[in-house]
Amino acid sequence: MDVNQTKQEHLLALKVMRLTKPTLFTNLPVTCEERDLPGDLFGQLMRGDPSTIKGAEALMLGEMLTLPQNFGNIFLGETFSSYISVHNDSNQVVKDILVKADLQTSSQRLNLSASNSAVAELKPECCIDDVIHHEVKEIGTHILVCAVSYTTQYGEKLYFRKFFKFQVLKPLDVKTKFYNAESDLSSVTDEVFLEAQIQNITTSPMFMEKVSLEPSMMYNVTELNTVACGDQGESTFGKMSYLQPMDTRQYLYCLKPKPEYAEKAGVIKGVTVIGKLDIVWKTNLGERGRLQTSQLQRMAPGYGDIRLSLEMIPDTVNLEEPFDIICKITNCSERTMDLVLEMCNTESIHWCGISGRQLGKVSPGASLSLPLTVFSSIQGLQSVSGLRLTDTFLKRTYEYDDIAQVCVVCPYTSNEC
């Protein structure tokens, strides 16, 4: 009741109860060895107790349901439900009853009342019932403010309110890591791997119903949390996806730029928003919770001014036999370049063609395909290296080593790399 309000006897009584599912009854088993003085007395008492599980009387968890004895814990992402009842305890008719329920958080005040219209009259021993629901989206102290206003049969207008404070706790600890990996040879940009570590920081086990990644508009996502099992994939966590208290589980996702953005290296280069995680779980007897993280961001990969990638290269080639590759050169800067290609031989890799070739001008964001011929003089797994690009406008040189790897075999022997 409001401390600033003069205490008086009201005709109406307000009751507020949280609606939550029951829990399994727990008892503390008392046992002893048969040679002790009580003998089998404790065992007989447990076997005769209707709350225990037959055949497992020594377990603390029973088979009976009990109603909650206290307000309990409320976790972020769960739905808070409450039953509000206003009862007429007097022997007179009360008119114009208005019941209002607000939820006060650290940042806002929400109206949870199903109806804002007043009830015309309430007869003695009658009540007004209402059930409110709210998906909890903030951590910290919450105050449920229930206010009742009414008019007596003599025309006197009365008003009172009650406050119910509860804490909202954090159920999960989510940590993310990003890894930039080279994409396939047909793409200019890198793929992004996201590792999400989810820890259950509550005191009860959780059933993880769904953990998915909703990507931003520029990416497609592939979940890497299943293994091939026949025609269908099976979760890497097994059929029963339970997360015990304080346990941590790792999820992995691969994000790849959509085809319409894959060629726009300058656009993808500045993209830092990847997407957001959507987590759905169930606790106790099926109570559901859901959390969505804020937009996940990463450091954009540094491509430099020029990016060189491979569109085509053989997996296996013969020793000292020329083979063709196709390189792709992309201007990732914001200025036009005039490029010259130099090919430098290494100990094992030898380029065929004229070094110092003029490639011409390349506009910002544009790219060009460059077919080249090369052969290897050493058998085994060899690294294709030795390309150098020079921008004649700024007299700036870019060297590219370890562009790709190729397996070189001798056609006259069976020894491979």
Side-chain angles (χ1 to χ4, degrees), residues 341-362:
L341 174 67
E342 297 180 70
M343 299 179 293
C344 305
N345 295 332
T346 64
E347 182 179 355
S348 61
I349 296 298
H350 306 272
W351 298 94
C352 303
I354 301 174
S355 180
R357 190 195 333 174
Q358 294 280 346
L359 300 181
K361 296 180 180 180
V362 182

Side-chain angles (χ1 to χ4, degrees), residues 10 68 95 105 141 176 186 193 298 321 376:
H10 285 277
K95 298 180 180 180
T105 69
T141 303
T176 56
S186 64
F193 289 89
R298 67 176 178 116
E321 289 187 6
S376 176

Side-chain angles (χ1 to χ4, degrees), residues 145-208:
V145 183
C146 298
V148 180
S149 62
Y150 61 96
T151 304
T152 66
Q153 62 180 0
Y154 304 107
E156 183 182 4
K157 294 184 178 181
L158 298 177
Y159 168 85
F160 70 95
R161 59 180 177 175
K162 290 186 178 181
F163 301 88
F164 304 89
K165 184 167 67 173
F166 59 91
Q167 296 289 332
V168 175
L169 307 177
K170 184 180 178 181
L172 299 171
D173 186 23
V174 181
K175 297 179 180 178
T176 56
K177 295 180 181 179
F178 289 103
Y179 305 93
N180 295 324
E182 290 293 330
S183 61
D184 55 26
L185 299 180
S186 64
S187 177
V188 175
T189 57
D190 290 338
E191 294 177 348
V192 181
F193 289 89
L194 169 65
E195 176 190 343
Q197 298 181 359
I198 301 177
Q199 183 182 23
N200 176 10
I201 57 177
T202 69
T203 57
S204 60
M206 287 183 176
F207 173 74
M208 306 305 293

Side-chain angles (χ1 to χ4, degrees), residues 24 48 57 59 97 136 201 204 211 229 234 275 308 311 335 337 357 388 413:
L24 290 172
E57 293 82 5
L59 293 179
I97 305 98
V136 182
I201 57 177
S204 60
V211 179
C229 184
E234 182 177 338
L308 187 146
E311 287 188 313
R335 56 184 173 82
M337 294 184 175
R357 190 195 333 174
R388 181 186 301 164
T413 63

Side-chain angles (χ1 to χ4, degrees), residues 129-336:
D129 300 323
D130 191 13
V131 176
I132 58 175
H133 303 280
H134 174 66
E135 184 178 349
V136 182
K137 299 181 179 180
E138 292 184 41
I139 296 177
T141 303
H142 288 56
I143 302 176
L144 181 63
V145 183
C146 298
V148 180
S149 62
Y150 61 96
T151 304
T152 66
Q153 62 180 0
Y154 304 107
E156 183 182 4
K157 294 184 178 181
L158 298 177
Y159 168 85
F160 70 95
R161 59 180 177 175
K162 290 186 178 181
F163 301 88
F164 304 89
K165 184 167 67 173
F166 59 91
Q167 296 289 332
V168 175
L169 307 177
K170 184 180 178 181
L172 299 171
D173 186 23
V174 181
K175 297 179 180 178
T176 56
K177 295 180 181 179
F178 289 103
Y179 305 93
N180 295 324
E182 290 293 330
S183 61
D184 55 26
L185 299 180
S186 64
S187 177
V188 175
T189 57
D190 290 338
E191 294 177 348
V192 181
F193 289 89
L194 169 65
E195 176 190 343
Q197 298 181 359
I198 301 177
Q199 183 182 23
N200 176 10
I201 57 177
T202 69
T203 57
S204 60
M206 287 183 176
F207 173 74
M208 306 305 293
E209 185 174 302
K210 183 183 75 170
V211 179
S212 62
L213 177 64
E214 297 180 2
S216 61
M217 60 178 294
M218 291 188 179
Y219 286 95
N220 291 321
V221 63
T222 302
E223 294 193 13
L224 304 178
N225 305 308
T226 57
V227 291
C229 184
D231 297 335
Q232 297 180 350
E234 182 177 338
S235 173
T236 55
F237 310 111
K239 296 181 179 180
M240 305 302 290
S241 185
Y242 284 101
L243 190 61
Q244 297 295 334
M246 304 311 296
D247 281 359
T248 301
R249 182 172 293 174
Q250 294 174 310
Y251 295 84
L252 186 63
Y253 304 90
C254 177
L255 295 107
K256 187 175 181 180
K258 293 182 179 179
E260 57 266 32
Y261 298 104
E263 298 297 329
K264 301 178 182 179
V267 176
I268 292 293
K269 179 181 178 181
V271 172
T272 58
V273 176
I274 295 297
K276 55 186 178 180
L277 287 170
D278 187 13
I279 308 172
V280 180
W281 71 90
K282 290 183 178 178
T283 58
N284 295 334
L285 296 180
E287 293 178 288
R288 186 169 178 161
R290 180 182 181 183
L291 279 181
Q292 277 192 336
T293 64
S294 56
Q295 290 288 349
L296 303 175
Q297 297 185 349
R298 67 176 178 116
M299 294 296 294
Y303 295 144
D305 292 338
I306 304 177
R307 178 167 175 80
L308 187 146
S309 60
L310 283 179
E311 287 188 313
M312 189 274 293
I313 185 172
D315 294 331
T316 305
V317 298
N318 291 331
L319 181 68
E320 297 183 346
E321 289 187 6
F323 60 93
D324 296 328
I325 65 174
I326 298 178
C327 295
K328 193 167 190 176
I329 300 173
T330 304
N331 183 357
C332 298
S333 69
E334 298 179 354
R335 56 184 173 82
T336 301

Side-chain angles (χ1 to χ4, degrees), residues 371-391:
L372 297 172
T373 303
V374 65
F375 71 90
S376 176
S377 59
I378 299 179
Q379 188 177 356
L381 188 64
Q382 302 300 326
S383 174
V384 179
S385 303
L387 291 182
R388 181 186 301 164
L389 292 170
T390 301
D391 180 13

